[in-house]
Amino acid sequence: MRILVCGAGGQVGHEVVNRAPGFGLVALGRNRQQLDVSSPEQIAREIQEQRPGLIINAAAYTHVDNAETHAEQAYAVNRDGAANLAAAACQAGIPLLHLSTDYVFAGDARAAYRESDHTAPTGVYGASKLAGEQAIAARQPAHLILRTSWVYGVHGHNFVKTMLRLGRQRDALGVVSDQIGCPTQAGSIAGVLLELASRYARQGTLEWGLYHYSGQPSCSWYDFAGEIFRQAHELGLIERLPQLSPILTAQYPTPARRPAWSVLDCSRFEAAFGLAPRDWHADLGEVLVELSRLERRPLEAGVRRA
């Protein structure tokens, strides 16, 4: 089956395209330059020309802070883009798998969020993503929305790669310790999306609806950073362990408010599909090993690393 992957230039979309052949699927990866999801005409033309059997939407405006001053751009992608894809998928008679976020919640809970819990985004990014969820549900019954959190991976910009860069530059770092969430590897998200697409290709249906999927267990950014540095040091990615200090969110102000609590309850997804959340410690190890391999490659080829 051919699947149209929107947002193929991002962390998850990149992994979906790379891993699709292993699931017996042909991924038609499109980045934002190749396919603007805010354009219904471009989407219609792409579906007409390529005839995909399913759409995976990993396209999103993810600059959380910039969204506060660029709301129109955020809504154009996160709400209108999702609506356009859902309408086109419904017209073509194909399902839509869509990624969403923990930012749809206020972050003031103390129990893991379930799909049925009250949503109350505190910023433009979360509000635009929630509007996208609602637009999809209103336009295409054959949809599966997957909320996830704290995404990191080999490709693109993320917390893990930022920590590695800072760990090489500084002897000491302060990292926020009062925000709790679940780090989730982009490759693991791609894997479950492709497994669902593969099941749909075989069965012709899925248990449609809204689900949560994230790494386990929960931790703080401070805890996550400590494990990143520990594993990276063992692999030789950093020469020394920087001195880490816990800081409060108030000591690191940002334009957009981050949820203090981003823990997702994934039991509904596991019950429906038999796919358990992965341990982020092991997933982190896979990413760091791959980053180490990629860094060694230019050296082995005789190219000096800048």
Side-chain angles (χ1 to χ4, degrees), residues 197-210:
S198 178
R199 291 185 189 185
Y200 173 77
R202 296 192 305 268
Q203 303 166 4
T205 190
L206 289 171
E207 291 189 42
W208 308 117
L210 173 65

Side-chain angles (χ1 to χ4, degrees), residues 76-276:
V77 178
N78 296 342
R79 179 195 61 197
D80 302 340
N84 294 338
L85 286 168
C90 186
Q91 184 172 8
I94 59 177
L96 173 64
L97 308 187
H98 174 80
L99 280 183
S100 194
T101 175
D102 57 294
Y103 275 73
V104 301
F105 296 111
D108 56 0
R110 278 297 172 262
Y113 282 112
R114 297 185 177 185
E115 291 84 352
S116 57
D117 285 341
H118 177 66
T119 52
T122 60
V124 171
Y125 170 66
S128 64
K129 290 294 289 182
L130 178 60
E133 292 183 7
Q134 295 166 342
I136 289 170
R139 289 164 174 79
Q140 169 57 312
H143 71 265
L144 192 147
I145 297 168
L146 200 64
R147 289 178 183 152
T148 190
S149 66
W150 291 21
V151 180
Y152 68 93
V154 175
H155 179 77
H157 301 288
N158 55 68
F159 183 79
V160 171
K161 294 169 82 171
T162 297
M163 287 299 103
L164 289 177
R165 175 175 55 81
L166 294 177
R168 290 165 172 163
Q169 297 172 349
R170 303 181 188 177
D171 295 323
L173 284 171
V175 181
V176 172
S177 61
D178 60 348
Q179 294 176 22
I180 309 299
C182 299
T184 314
Q185 196 211 118
S188 293
I189 301 169
V192 298
L193 289 172
L194 288 165
E195 173 59 27
L196 295 174
S198 178
R199 291 185 189 185
Y200 173 77
R202 296 192 305 268
Q203 303 166 4
T205 190
L206 289 171
E207 291 189 42
W208 308 117
L210 173 65
Y211 296 93
H212 290 171
Y213 178 83
S214 64
Q216 297 293 326
S218 62
C219 66
S220 69
W221 289 116
Y222 172 79
D223 297 330
F224 191 26
E227 183 65 11
I228 292 167
F229 290 134
R230 186 190 70 79
Q231 292 195 29
H233 186 255
E234 289 183 355
L235 290 167
L237 277 166
I238 55 174
E239 295 180 359
R240 66 193 184 286
L241 290 170
Q243 180 68 40
L244 273 186
S245 301
I247 63 172
L248 301 177
T249 298
Q251 297 172 261
Y252 188 73
T254 55
R257 176 183 161 194
R258 266 61 175 174
W261 180 261
S262 292
V263 182
L264 301 177
D265 184 329
C266 305
S267 59
R268 182 170 185 260
F269 182 80
E270 185 173 1
F273 303 109
L275 299 171

